[in-house]
């Protein structure tokens, strides 16, 4: 997969980073989000070191990512349970009507 160099700006400082084709806008949006988070952290924490700010931002983003992964996992489990329940309900209804397990011939009335 080819990549191209894209210039982004974080905290007013330009960086050239490799980016897959078609992902430039997403990368720039991510850089804007990072800059905003760093500015917010700098104001809230009074930390002036860019390295400390970067670590704090990374920890915050990782924490948010972990929370989202857990939410997705719980949602997936809930959907799996619902799908299985629906499948059992459909199977029970088909059995009740004598149509489950047929090849299309049995269970039909002439």
């Amino acid at each position: 997969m080819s990549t191209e160099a894209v210039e982004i700006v974080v905290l007013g400082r330009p960086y050239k980073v490799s980016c897959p084709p078609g992902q430039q806008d997403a990368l720039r949006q991510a850089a804007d989000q990072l800059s905003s988070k760093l500015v917010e952290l700098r104001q809230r924490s009074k930390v002036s070191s860019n390295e400390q700010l970067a670590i704090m931002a990374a920890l915050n983003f990782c924490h948010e990512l972990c929370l989202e992964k857990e939410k997705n996992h719980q949602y997936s489990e809930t959907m799996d349970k619902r799908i299985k329940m629906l499948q059992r309900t459909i199977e029970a209804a088909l059995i009740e009507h004598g149509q489950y397990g047929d090849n299309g011939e049995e269970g039909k009335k002439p």
Side-chain angles (χ1 to χ4, degrees):
M1 174 184 279
S2 65
T3 60
E4 59 183 68
V6 175
E7 186 170 297
I8 60 168
V9 178
V10 177
L11 288 179
R13 186 170 174 191
Y15 295 90
K16 282 223 182 237
V17 293
S18 294
C19 180
Q23 296 296 312
Q24 298 88 343
D25 288 339
L27 178 61
R28 287 185 183 105
Q29 287 178 344
D32 290 344
Q33 184 180 9
L34 176 59
S35 283
S36 295
K37 187 69 150 183
L38 291 170
V39 167
E40 177 187 319
L41 283 171
R42 178 175 279 155
Q43 291 170 348
R44 268 195 346 227
S45 67
K46 306 299 184 208
V47 172
S48 59
S49 164
N50 283 348
E51 182 179 351
Q52 286 179 321
L53 284 173
I55 289 172
M56 289 172 60
L59 285 171
N60 284 332
F61 285 129
C62 287
H63 178 68
E64 290 171 11
L65 180 61
C66 287
L67 292 175
E68 287 301 315
K69 282 182 177 181
E70 181 58 29
K71 276 200 284 189
N72 285 340
H73 178 73
Q74 289 175 0
Y75 179 78
S76 178
E77 283 183 347
T78 300
M79 288 299 109
D80 283 346
K81 288 177 185 176
R82 287 181 179 177
I83 289 168
K84 287 176 183 173
M85 184 181 69
L86 284 170
Q87 185 177 12
R88 286 191 299 270
T89 302
I90 292 168
E91 288 172 357
L94 289 172
I95 288 170
E96 184 177 317
H97 293 296
Q99 296 177 354
Y100 187 73
D102 292 357
N103 289 332
E105 300 299 320
E106 297 174 29
K108 288 187 177 179
K109 296 181 182 177

